[in-house]
Amino acid sequence: MRVVLRSLACAFAFVLGSRSAPCRADERPVSTLDYAVEGDASCPDEPAFRTLVTTRLGRDPFVSRAPSSVRVRFSSRGRVVVARIEITESGSVPGVRILEQPKQACEALAGAVAAAVATAIDPAGPAPSPSPPPLPPPPPVASTAPVSHPQIEPVEPARPAAASPTATEAAGQAPRVALTAHALGSVGVVPGPALGALAGVGIRYGAFALHAEGRFEATPSAVAVTANDRLTGVAYAGALVPCGVVRWFE
């Protein structure tokens, strides 16, 4: 962008410098402006563009009638926006420059065009500002005894004590006592359907557990096994059961 800006500035300065009449020392170059944004290009409007040029020159160089004229057109072509700049001096053949940038970079493109137009209108740049008058010397200050200020040492905030990794891991892996209790229903253990319960106690370590369980089942009523015989049944069982635990399942 700097190379493009310098090329435009040199080209426009040459065009105006070779065609314009010499100005008096107290006159600054001016020009007319013909500015437009065509199509759906999202570029600055004319007042915003004038402000860009005015900021670079320190003055507004555009008037309603002037020997030179500047014509700027922004238009969209597919994914890019194209800036066409024409500078004409007293009706002669205009000097033309064309720049393009992606549509989302139209603000940057407008800034480059404004800088090139400002340089082409007035290559000398902004007028030097008058130097301010020198400031009067400060009044004398009565001498006073120096005042000592106590120095305060900065206090670092207390940092929270971090838990010991070894203690945390040990707490997460400590064995735990696990109790189990279930209601049961079975067929085939005793004559007829049976109801019962299972209770146990075990030790769980991580995802593994070992339970000692006791099981009791009985028929809720007498069961007919022949035309004349009826039986009741009771079953007891015990087991040492290893388990693997995954979430809610074991």
Side-chain angles (χ1 to χ4, degrees):
M1 183 61 73
R2 292 183 177 177
V3 174
V4 173
L5 176 59
R6 291 177 180 175
S7 300
L8 283 174
C10 294
F12 292 159
F14 174 78
V15 170
L16 288 184
S18 61
R19 295 177 181 174
S20 60
C23 299
R24 297 199 308 266
D26 58 343
E27 291 182 352
R28 303 306 300 273
V30 293
S31 182
T32 60
L33 176 64
D34 181 7
Y35 181 92
V37 179
E38 301 172 348
D40 58 347
S42 299
C43 298
D45 55 9
E46 181 175 345
F49 183 78
R50 283 176 173 266
T51 301
L52 291 175
V53 178
T54 299
T55 302
R56 283 166 173 78
L57 288 180
R59 62 185 180 86
D60 186 359
F62 299 116
V63 296
S64 57
R65 297 182 62 183
S68 65
S69 63
V70 177
R71 186 174 188 269
V72 180
R73 291 289 184 274
F74 288 91
S75 59
S76 59
R77 295 181 184 174
R79 296 183 179 180
V80 300
V81 58
V82 179
R84 179 183 175 90
I85 313 160
E86 299 179 5
I87 296 184
T88 307
E89 177 67 25
S90 301
S92 60
V93 177
V96 179
R97 290 294 183 274
I98 297 177
L99 296 175
E100 66 178 38
Q101 285 288 337
K103 280 188 174 181
Q104 61 271 21
C106 193
E107 292 287 343
L109 179 60
V113 173
V117 169
T119 305
I121 293 175
D122 190 355
S129 56
S131 58
L135 297 176
V141 180
S143 61
T144 57
V147 179
S148 61
H149 298 278
Q151 295 183 354
I152 301 176
E153 295 294 334
V155 179
E156 295 185 358
R159 299 180 179 178
S164 171
T166 304
T168 304
E169 293 175 0
Q173 296 294 332
R176 294 180 297 169
V177 177
L179 302 176
T180 58
H182 303 281
L184 296 177
S186 65
V187 175
V189 178
V190 294
L195 299 177
L198 181 148
V201 61
I203 297 177
R204 178 175 175 179
Y205 185 80
F208 302 96
L210 184 65
H211 294 271
E213 298 179 346
R215 179 170 176 169
F216 167 80
E217 297 170 81
T219 55
S221 60
V223 179
V225 293
T226 66
N228 299 318
D229 298 320
R230 301 174 66 85
L231 296 177
T232 60
V234 178
Y236 302 93
L240 188 63
V241 183
C243 295
V245 182
V246 180
R247 295 182 181 270
W248 295 97
F249 304 95
E250 67 179 5

